[in-house]
Amino acid sequence: MKKLLLTAVSAALLWGQNPNAESLLNEFKTQGGGPFDAKRGEAAWMQENLIKGEKMSCVTCHGKDLTQGGKHYTSGEAIDPMAPSVTKTRFSDLKHTRKWFKRNCKEVYGRECTPQEKGDFMLFILSK
Amino acid sequence: MTRTLIILTLLSTSLLADWSDLFERKNGIEPVTNAAYNKACGDCHFPYQPGWLPARSWQKMMEPKELEDHFGDNAEMEEEERLEMLKFLVDHSAETSSYKRSKKILASIKEAESPLRISQTRYLERKHEEIPEKLIKQEKVKSLAHCNRCHEGADKGNFDDDDVVIPNYGRWDR
Protein backbone atom coordinates (compact mmCIF):
# COMPACT_ATOMS: atom_id res chain seq x y z
CA MET A 1 0.00 0.00 0.00
CA LYS A 2 2.81 2.38 0.99
CA LYS A 3 4.65 1.49 -2.21
CA LEU A 4 1.53 2.09 -4.23
CA LEU A 5 1.10 5.48 -2.58
CA LEU A 6 4.72 6.36 -3.27
CA THR A 7 4.33 5.38 -6.88
CA ALA A 8 1.20 7.47 -7.14
CA VAL A 9 2.96 10.46 -5.54
CA SER A 10 6.01 10.23 -7.79
CA ALA A 11 3.78 9.76 -10.80
CA ALA A 12 1.83 12.86 -9.82
CA LEU A 13 5.10 14.76 -9.42
CA LEU A 14 6.36 13.51 -12.76
CA TRP A 15 3.22 14.26 -14.68
CA GLY A 16 1.84 17.05 -12.56
CA GLN A 17 2.98 19.64 -15.06
CA ASN A 18 2.27 17.40 -17.99
CA PRO A 19 -1.36 16.29 -18.02
CA ASN A 20 -0.97 15.77 -21.75
CA ALA A 21 1.85 13.33 -21.20
CA GLU A 22 -0.35 11.33 -18.88
CA SER A 23 -3.09 11.12 -21.46
CA LEU A 24 -0.60 9.92 -24.09
CA LEU A 25 0.71 7.27 -21.69
CA ASN A 26 -2.88 6.13 -21.18
CA GLU A 27 -3.27 5.95 -24.94
CA PHE A 28 -0.22 3.66 -25.12
CA LYS A 29 -1.76 1.52 -22.37
CA THR A 30 -4.99 1.07 -24.29
CA GLN A 31 -2.83 -0.03 -27.22
CA GLY A 32 -1.38 -2.81 -25.08
CA GLY A 33 1.63 -1.10 -23.47
CA GLY A 34 2.61 -0.87 -19.81
CA PRO A 35 3.71 -0.94 -17.14
CA PHE A 36 6.37 1.47 -18.36
CA ASP A 37 9.93 1.72 -17.12
CA ALA A 38 12.23 4.75 -17.36
CA LYS A 39 15.38 2.59 -17.05
CA ARG A 40 14.32 0.49 -20.03
CA GLY A 41 13.57 3.72 -21.89
CA GLU A 42 17.04 5.01 -21.09
CA ALA A 43 18.70 1.81 -22.36
CA ALA A 44 16.67 2.01 -25.58
CA TRP A 45 17.64 5.70 -25.90
CA MET A 46 21.32 4.69 -25.97
CA GLN A 47 20.89 1.59 -28.15
CA GLU A 48 22.68 1.84 -31.50
CA ASN A 49 21.18 0.32 -34.63
CA LEU A 50 22.73 0.03 -38.07
CA ILE A 51 20.45 1.99 -40.38
CA LYS A 52 21.42 2.53 -44.03
CA GLY A 53 24.99 1.69 -43.07
CA GLU A 54 25.15 4.19 -40.23
CA LYS A 55 25.10 3.67 -36.48
CA MET A 56 22.03 5.47 -35.23
CA SER A 57 20.55 6.05 -31.80
CA CYS A 58 18.46 8.72 -30.14
CA VAL A 59 21.78 10.10 -28.86
CA THR A 60 22.93 10.76 -32.45
CA CYS A 61 20.80 13.90 -32.53
CA HIS A 62 19.46 14.46 -29.00
CA GLY A 63 22.63 13.63 -27.04
CA LYS A 64 23.01 11.71 -23.79
CA ASP A 65 22.12 14.56 -21.44
CA LEU A 66 18.47 15.41 -22.02
CA THR A 67 18.78 18.73 -20.21
CA GLN A 68 21.16 19.86 -22.97
CA GLY A 69 20.14 20.76 -26.50
CA GLY A 70 20.85 18.46 -29.40
CA LYS A 71 22.00 18.92 -32.95
CA HIS A 72 20.73 17.21 -36.06
CA TYR A 73 23.51 14.94 -37.29
CA THR A 74 23.46 16.06 -40.92
CA SER A 75 21.95 19.54 -41.06
CA GLY A 76 23.46 20.75 -37.80
CA GLU A 77 20.15 22.38 -36.84
CA ALA A 78 19.74 22.92 -33.11
CA ILE A 79 17.23 20.75 -31.24
CA ASP A 80 15.70 21.98 -27.97
CA PRO A 81 16.52 19.91 -24.86
CA MET A 82 14.14 16.96 -24.51
CA ALA A 83 13.86 17.40 -20.73
CA PRO A 84 10.47 18.91 -19.82
CA SER A 85 12.20 20.64 -16.88
CA VAL A 86 14.09 22.73 -19.44
CA THR A 87 11.80 22.78 -22.46
CA LYS A 88 8.45 23.52 -20.86
CA THR A 89 6.49 22.86 -24.04
CA ARG A 90 7.44 19.16 -24.19
CA PHE A 91 4.28 17.05 -24.66
CA SER A 92 2.13 20.18 -24.87
CA ASP A 93 1.11 19.23 -28.40
CA LEU A 94 0.39 15.51 -28.71
CA LYS A 95 0.03 15.62 -32.49
CA HIS A 96 3.61 16.86 -32.55
CA THR A 97 4.75 14.10 -30.17
CA ARG A 98 3.03 11.33 -32.14
CA LYS A 99 4.45 12.66 -35.41
CA TRP A 100 7.98 12.70 -34.08
CA PHE A 101 7.76 9.27 -32.42
CA LYS A 102 6.79 7.88 -35.81
CA ARG A 103 9.50 9.65 -37.78
CA ASN A 104 12.32 9.13 -35.31
CA CYS A 105 11.61 5.47 -34.53
CA LYS A 106 11.77 4.76 -38.26
CA GLU A 107 15.02 6.72 -38.53
CA VAL A 108 16.69 5.07 -35.55
CA TYR A 109 15.04 1.63 -35.33
CA GLY A 110 14.02 1.19 -38.94
CA ARG A 111 10.42 0.61 -37.82
CA GLU A 112 7.68 2.18 -35.73
CA CYS A 113 8.12 1.75 -31.99
CA THR A 114 5.65 -0.34 -30.01
CA PRO A 115 3.35 1.36 -27.47
CA GLN A 116 5.50 -0.28 -24.77
CA GLU A 117 8.70 1.25 -26.15
CA LYS A 118 7.12 4.65 -26.57
CA GLY A 119 5.84 4.61 -22.98
CA ASP A 120 9.30 3.63 -21.71
CA PHE A 121 10.89 6.49 -23.68
CA MET A 122 8.34 8.88 -22.25
CA LEU A 123 8.99 7.91 -18.65
CA PHE A 124 12.71 8.34 -19.23
CA ILE A 125 12.15 11.78 -20.77
CA LEU A 126 9.65 12.83 -18.08
CA SER A 127 12.18 11.94 -15.36
CA LYS A 128 14.50 14.69 -16.64
CA MET B 1 -10.23 73.39 -44.22
CA THR B 2 -7.26 72.66 -41.96
CA ARG B 3 -8.89 69.45 -40.89
CA THR B 4 -9.44 68.38 -44.51
CA LEU B 5 -5.81 69.14 -45.26
CA ILE B 6 -4.61 67.07 -42.34
CA ILE B 7 -6.81 64.16 -43.34
CA LEU B 8 -5.64 64.39 -46.93
CA THR B 9 -2.00 64.52 -45.86
CA LEU B 10 -2.46 61.52 -43.61
CA LEU B 11 -4.23 59.61 -46.35
CA SER B 12 -1.62 60.31 -48.98
CA THR B 13 1.23 59.47 -46.58
CA SER B 14 -0.29 56.14 -45.74
CA LEU B 15 -0.91 55.45 -49.40
CA LEU B 16 2.68 56.30 -50.27
CA ALA B 17 3.96 54.17 -47.42
CA ASP B 18 1.91 51.23 -48.63
CA TRP B 19 3.14 51.63 -52.18
CA SER B 20 6.82 51.83 -51.23
CA ASP B 21 6.36 48.84 -48.94
CA LEU B 22 4.80 46.90 -51.77
CA PHE B 23 7.52 47.99 -54.13
CA GLU B 24 10.31 46.91 -51.80
CA ARG B 25 8.79 43.57 -51.05
CA LYS B 26 8.18 42.76 -54.69
CA ASN B 27 11.94 42.82 -55.05
CA GLY B 28 12.54 39.76 -52.95
CA ILE B 29 10.34 36.75 -52.51
CA GLU B 30 6.89 36.63 -50.94
CA PRO B 31 7.41 36.12 -47.19
CA VAL B 32 5.54 33.38 -45.35
CA THR B 33 2.87 34.43 -42.87
CA ASN B 34 1.43 30.94 -42.35
CA ALA B 35 2.36 29.96 -38.78
CA ALA B 36 1.43 26.30 -39.29
CA TYR B 37 3.76 26.10 -42.29
CA ASN B 38 6.59 27.80 -40.42
CA LYS B 39 6.15 25.29 -37.60
CA ALA B 40 5.73 22.14 -39.70
CA CYS B 41 8.72 22.84 -41.95
CA GLY B 42 10.70 25.16 -39.70
CA ASP B 43 10.92 22.47 -37.00
CA CYS B 44 13.80 21.03 -39.03
CA HIS B 45 15.02 23.60 -41.52
CA PHE B 46 14.65 27.12 -42.82
CA PRO B 47 11.02 27.29 -43.98
CA TYR B 48 11.63 28.01 -47.64
CA GLN B 49 9.13 30.40 -49.18
CA PRO B 50 6.82 28.54 -51.60
CA GLY B 51 7.75 31.10 -54.27
CA TRP B 52 11.12 29.41 -54.68
CA LEU B 53 9.72 26.50 -56.70
CA PRO B 54 6.99 25.78 -59.23
CA ALA B 55 3.85 23.95 -58.10
CA ARG B 56 4.95 20.75 -59.87
CA SER B 57 8.06 20.60 -57.65
CA TRP B 58 6.05 21.00 -54.46
CA GLN B 59 3.57 18.38 -55.62
CA LYS B 60 6.41 15.91 -56.12
CA MET B 61 8.12 16.79 -52.85
CA MET B 62 4.92 16.39 -50.85
CA GLU B 63 4.06 12.91 -52.14
CA PRO B 64 3.85 10.54 -49.12
CA LYS B 65 6.66 8.29 -50.39
CA GLU B 66 8.86 11.27 -51.13
CA LEU B 67 8.29 12.71 -47.63
CA GLU B 68 9.40 9.42 -46.09
CA ASP B 69 12.81 10.09 -47.61
CA HIS B 70 12.96 13.87 -47.52
CA PHE B 71 16.59 14.57 -48.48
CA GLY B 72 17.63 11.60 -46.35
CA ASP B 73 15.28 12.22 -43.42
CA ASN B 74 11.86 10.88 -42.58
CA ALA B 75 9.46 13.82 -42.77
CA GLU B 76 6.18 11.94 -43.10
CA MET B 77 3.04 13.70 -41.93
CA GLU B 78 -0.51 12.77 -41.14
CA GLU B 79 -2.64 13.11 -44.24
CA GLU B 80 -4.51 16.14 -42.91
CA GLU B 81 -1.32 18.11 -42.30
CA ARG B 82 0.28 16.96 -45.55
CA LEU B 83 -2.67 18.17 -47.63
CA GLU B 84 -2.83 21.47 -45.75
CA MET B 85 0.87 22.12 -46.40
CA LEU B 86 0.64 21.02 -50.03
CA LYS B 87 -2.25 23.41 -50.63
CA PHE B 88 -0.33 26.31 -49.11
CA LEU B 89 2.76 25.52 -51.20
CA VAL B 90 0.82 25.23 -54.45
CA ASP B 91 -1.28 28.33 -53.74
CA HIS B 92 1.90 30.37 -53.25
CA SER B 93 4.21 28.66 -55.74
CA ALA B 94 6.55 30.59 -58.04
CA GLU B 95 4.02 30.72 -60.89
CA THR B 96 1.51 32.55 -58.71
CA SER B 97 4.00 35.16 -57.53
CA SER B 98 4.81 38.62 -58.84
CA TYR B 99 7.99 38.82 -56.81
CA LYS B 100 11.23 39.25 -58.71
CA ARG B 101 13.07 36.20 -57.45
CA SER B 102 10.15 33.87 -58.11
CA LYS B 103 10.06 35.02 -61.72
CA LYS B 104 13.83 34.62 -62.07
CA ILE B 105 14.03 31.16 -60.58
CA LEU B 106 11.09 30.01 -62.66
CA ALA B 107 12.78 31.25 -65.81
CA SER B 108 15.85 29.17 -64.91
CA ILE B 109 13.90 25.91 -64.59
CA LYS B 110 13.07 23.87 -67.70
CA GLU B 111 9.38 23.09 -68.08
CA ALA B 112 10.05 19.36 -68.18
CA GLU B 113 11.91 19.52 -64.86
CA SER B 114 10.53 19.44 -61.33
CA PRO B 115 13.56 20.20 -59.17
CA LEU B 116 13.37 19.48 -55.46
CA ARG B 117 16.56 21.22 -54.40
CA ILE B 118 16.16 24.99 -54.66
CA SER B 119 19.92 25.39 -54.23
CA GLN B 120 20.61 23.34 -57.36
CA THR B 121 18.49 25.38 -59.73
CA ARG B 122 20.50 27.32 -62.30
CA TYR B 123 19.38 30.63 -60.80
CA LEU B 124 20.60 29.80 -57.30
CA GLU B 125 23.84 28.28 -58.60
CA ARG B 126 24.52 31.40 -60.63
CA LYS B 127 23.78 33.69 -57.69
CA HIS B 128 26.26 31.84 -55.48
CA GLU B 129 29.04 31.07 -57.95
CA GLU B 130 31.38 33.73 -56.54
CA ILE B 131 31.21 32.41 -52.98
CA PRO B 132 34.30 30.31 -52.18
CA GLU B 133 33.33 26.68 -51.57
CA LYS B 134 35.13 26.59 -48.23
CA LEU B 135 32.84 29.33 -46.89
CA ILE B 136 29.79 27.33 -47.93
CA LYS B 137 31.02 23.97 -46.65
CA GLN B 138 32.25 25.28 -43.29
CA GLU B 139 30.56 23.92 -40.15
CA LYS B 140 28.53 27.07 -39.53
CA VAL B 141 26.95 27.03 -43.00
CA LYS B 142 27.31 23.45 -44.33
CA SER B 143 25.48 24.02 -47.62
CA LEU B 144 23.43 26.47 -49.63
CA ALA B 145 20.32 24.82 -48.18
CA HIS B 146 20.63 26.89 -45.00
CA CYS B 147 19.60 30.29 -46.37
CA ASN B 148 19.34 32.09 -43.04
CA ARG B 149 22.86 31.23 -41.90
CA CYS B 150 24.09 34.01 -44.22
CA HIS B 151 21.02 35.90 -45.46
CA GLU B 152 19.97 37.98 -42.48
CA GLY B 153 16.59 38.90 -43.94
CA ALA B 154 15.80 35.42 -45.27
CA ASP B 155 12.66 34.95 -43.17
CA LYS B 156 11.34 38.28 -44.46
CA GLY B 157 11.94 37.24 -48.04
CA ASN B 158 14.91 39.58 -48.39
CA PHE B 159 17.85 37.98 -50.21
CA ASP B 160 19.66 41.16 -51.26
CA ASP B 161 23.46 41.01 -51.60
CA ASP B 162 23.95 43.74 -48.99
CA ASP B 163 22.09 41.74 -46.34
CA VAL B 164 24.52 38.85 -46.50
CA VAL B 165 26.83 38.10 -43.58
CA ILE B 166 28.89 34.94 -44.00
CA PRO B 167 30.21 33.32 -40.80
CA ASN B 168 34.00 33.62 -40.48
CA TYR B 169 34.02 36.11 -43.34
CA GLY B 170 31.65 38.95 -42.54
CA ARG B 171 29.59 41.14 -44.76
CA TRP B 172 29.64 40.06 -48.39
CA ASP B 173 30.68 43.31 -50.06
CA ARG B 174 31.89 43.36 -53.58
Side-chain angles (χ1 to χ4, degrees), chain A residues 17-18 65-70 79-91 125-128:
Chain A
Q17 291 174 316
N18 263 309
D65 181 355
L66 272 56
T67 63
Q68 300 291 311
I79 303 172
D80 291 337
M82 289 306 291
S85 61
V86 184
T87 305
K88 304 289 180 192
T89 52
R90 282 282 166 243
F91 307 114
I125 294 166
L126 286 165
S127 72
K128 299 293 168 182

Side-chain angles (χ1 to χ4, degrees), chain B residues 7-70:
Chain B
I7 290 173
L8 271 175
T9 313
L10 281 174
L11 260 176
S12 59
T13 320
S14 72
L15 262 176
L16 276 173
D18 281 343
W19 278 110
S20 70
D21 189 37
L22 203 66
F23 183 72
E24 261 172 26
R25 287 169 64 196
K26 292 284 178 191
N27 263 334
I29 199 140
E30 186 188 4
V32 175
T33 53
N34 181 334
Y37 176 84
N38 279 339
K39 171 101 180 80
C41 304
D43 258 354
C44 300
H45 56 73
F46 173 72
Y48 307 102
Q49 289 87 355
W52 282 118
L53 286 175
R56 61 183 184 278
S57 291
W58 295 124
Q59 274 153 350
K60 188 172 166 192
M61 196 179 304
M62 296 299 287
E63 280 170 14
K65 273 285 154 208
E66 193 65 46
L67 278 177
E68 278 179 33
D69 187 2
H70 186 64

